[in-house]
Amino acid sequence: MNIKRIEILAVHFPLVKPFIVSYGTYPKMPSIIVKLTTDDGLVGWGESVPDEHVTGETFESTFHVLKHSLAPAMLNENPCHFEAIHEKMDRIVKGSPSAKAAIDIACFDLVGKKLGVPVYQLIGGRFHKKFPITHVLSIDEPDKMADEAQEKVQEGYRSFKMKVGTEVERDVERIKAVRQRVGEHIGIRVDVNQGWVNSSNTLKALRYLESLGIDWVEQPVLADDIDGMVEVKSKSRIPLMIDEGLCSFRDMREIIAKKAADKVNIKLMKCGGIYPAAKLATMAEMAGIECQIGSMVESSIASAAGFHVAFSKKIIKSVELTGPLKFKTDIGDLKESYKIPYIELSDKPGLGVQVDEDVLSSLTIASCIVESKL
């Protein structure tokens, strides 16, 4: 089984409402879909959702890297050879993890379909039966965030990730408003997306939050300020999760060595796909650090890939993969697996996602085909 044809499609997914984090507002979500076809007619789907604020990749640069560098190099390769494929991609281009993730995810989808097994069987087998779903609250006025949280509690949600990261005082107001509205027994995780910048601002904020029963605070300082995370962790009773500060194996080694976080957020777009994500989870488990699988707000394809990693690893304790719930239109059917307040993963082969190519075509703004002549 060898790869003979690669189609690359640039897509804009319409959102139910704009997604707002500390560093940007997204009225729609750009994504790059990859379709691999083998010499025996099997099709595998992958996805790249680049974020220049996290990995330095833009939508345009990622499409270019896939079209001109990675896709041509994958022609005539056996998608079963995950280690060799990653070694080859790493030789061709440094970094570009979300571009590599698209190839990686498509290869896993292909191999699962070839063998007739779900992807999680390729990376350790199924461990978890289901995961709670956390609703993500975009940055807004305190009352509006509280109103949305109250509405979602009535729908069955039992936990929230709050996006903050503006001025500390205003963020504290947002968090207090949501806590007051939903009560003490609903989980609240605070995601700062680097917005508090340094340990001084973060410690100021955490003093106000220690009485609010926060599950954890995620990436309050700049991504490369590992020492800032160390200081905050040593001076606060609220658990700390690192996100943008963890992309590579080297990052994980430093986090472990410096004991910089209580939890880590592994994202396939940051590390290069399913194969490296599973390696990062193993590194974290050896160090006794709990993991979450997160996302860049992805379609059914990449969200399913993240779920397969999460369901296969004991050390992964939470998931934040809600893209299919935030899209007005998706190209896959993963949304059917969300049974609020849980996500239940099917045992269909590969990613288990049925892609609607008519919908995909309607959302595509640019495309290209890279094909083997052999």
Side-chain angles (χ1 to χ4, degrees):
M1 181 173 68
N2 294 319
I3 298 167
K4 290 299 180 184
R5 190 174 190 266
I6 302 176
E7 191 169 355
I8 306 164
L9 306 104
V11 174
H12 281 163
F13 285 106
L15 293 166
V16 174
K17 59 184 292 188
F19 185 64
I20 305 171
V21 298
S22 64
Y23 55 73
T25 298
Y26 298 86
K28 55 190 175 184
M29 192 55 60
S31 173
I32 298 169
I33 305 299
V34 168
K35 178 183 180 182
L36 302 189
T37 304
T38 65
D39 51 6
D40 52 4
L42 281 177
V43 170
W45 294 95
E47 181 175 14
S48 172
V49 182
D51 188 331
E52 61 266 37
H53 300 94
V54 180
T55 66
E57 300 166 283
T58 66
F59 185 55
E60 296 79 11
S61 71
T62 302
F63 189 91
H64 184 92
V65 166
L66 281 164
K67 178 180 178 180
H68 296 288
S69 298
L70 295 181
M74 293 300 104
L75 295 178
N76 302 309
E77 289 288 338
N78 186 332
C80 298
H81 299 163
F82 304 124
E83 185 86 21
I85 282 172
H86 274 279
E87 194 275 337
K88 188 172 187 179
M89 290 195 294
D90 290 343
R91 272 192 286 112
I92 291 168
V93 60
K94 182 178 180 180
S96 299
S98 75
K100 294 171 182 175
I103 299 293
D104 167 285
I105 293 167
C107 286
F108 271 94
D109 191 29
L110 275 173
V111 175
K113 289 172 178 174
K114 178 70 173 180
L115 299 178
V117 299
V119 164
Y120 59 72
Q121 295 288 24
L122 305 175
I123 50 174
R126 186 162 184 161
F127 180 82
H128 299 282
K129 292 183 179 179
K130 60 184 179 180
F131 269 106
I133 303 169
T134 296
H135 179 72
V136 181
L137 297 168
S138 292
I139 295 175
D140 207 331
E141 294 301 313
D143 286 346
K144 290 183 179 179
M145 295 181 79
D147 288 344
E148 183 178 342
Q150 183 177 28
E151 177 185 324
K152 292 301 177 181
V153 168
Q154 293 170 353
E155 291 179 13
Y157 285 93
R158 309 309 297 166
S159 64
F160 296 97
K161 167 177 273 195
M162 292 189 62
K163 293 291 188 178
V164 298
T166 61
E167 65 275 17
V168 166
E169 291 80 5
R170 194 61 170 161
D171 286 336
V172 171
E173 289 179 21
R174 293 179 172 104
I175 299 162
K176 285 183 174 179
V178 171
R179 172 55 79 203
Q180 184 176 10
R181 191 71 64 85
V182 302
E184 297 180 1
H185 302 295
I186 298 296
I188 295 178
R189 298 91 185 257
V190 175
D191 187 2
V192 190
N193 288 119
Q194 310 178 66
W196 293 340
V197 181
N198 56 44
S199 58
S200 177
N201 288 333
T202 298
L203 290 168
K204 177 182 177 182
L206 296 188
R207 282 195 292 271
Y208 293 109
L209 301 182
E210 286 188 344
S211 64
L212 297 181
I214 303 302
D215 290 352
W216 62 76
V217 171
E218 184 175 343
Q219 198 63 57
V221 304
L222 295 178
D224 60 358
D225 188 7
I226 300 297
D227 291 336
M229 290 288 290
V230 172
E231 181 182 4
V232 172
K233 182 172 177 286
S234 70
K235 295 179 179 179
S236 173
R237 291 178 295 176
I238 300 176
L240 277 188
M241 175 180 283
I242 198 162
D243 178 6
E244 290 94 330
L246 170 62
C247 294
S248 67
F249 303 137
R250 179 178 293 180
D251 295 335
M252 182 68 90
R253 287 198 300 269
E254 184 177 5
I255 292 163
I256 292 170
K258 293 184 175 180
K259 300 181 179 179
D262 301 288
K263 303 171 185 286
V264 295
N265 193 355
I266 298 171
K267 294 179 179 176
L268 275 59
M269 299 301 139
K270 294 188 303 177
C271 68
I274 293 170
Y275 194 65
K279 288 186 176 182
L280 286 174
T282 299
M283 292 176 71
E285 185 172 27
M286 292 174 68
I289 301 175
E290 289 187 359
C291 302
Q292 173 174 281
I293 294 293
S295 77
M296 302 293 197
V297 188
E298 301 150 3
S299 82
S300 286
I301 294 172
S303 296
F307 279 127
H308 279 276
V309 177
F311 274 79
S312 71
K313 304 298 178 186
K314 180 174 68 173
I315 197 63
I316 296 171
K317 305 297 185 181
S318 61
V319 295
E320 185 225 314
L321 298 153
T322 59
L325 299 177
K326 293 187 176 296
F327 292 160
K328 286 183 181 178
T329 306
D330 195 0
I331 57 173
D333 55 354
L334 185 64
K335 190 174 181 179
E336 298 172 6
S337 297
Y338 291 85
K339 313 291 184 183
I340 308 299
Y342 297 103
I343 176 75
E344 299 176 2
L345 201 61
S346 79
D347 58 359
K348 296 177 183 177
L351 295 174
V353 172
Q354 183 68 39
V355 174
D356 188 325
E357 296 198 51
D358 290 335
V359 173
L360 175 58
S361 178
S362 72
L363 298 176
T364 298
I365 61 172
S367 65
C368 69
I369 295 173
V370 180
E371 196 164 11
S372 173
K373 304 301 181 184
L374 298 180

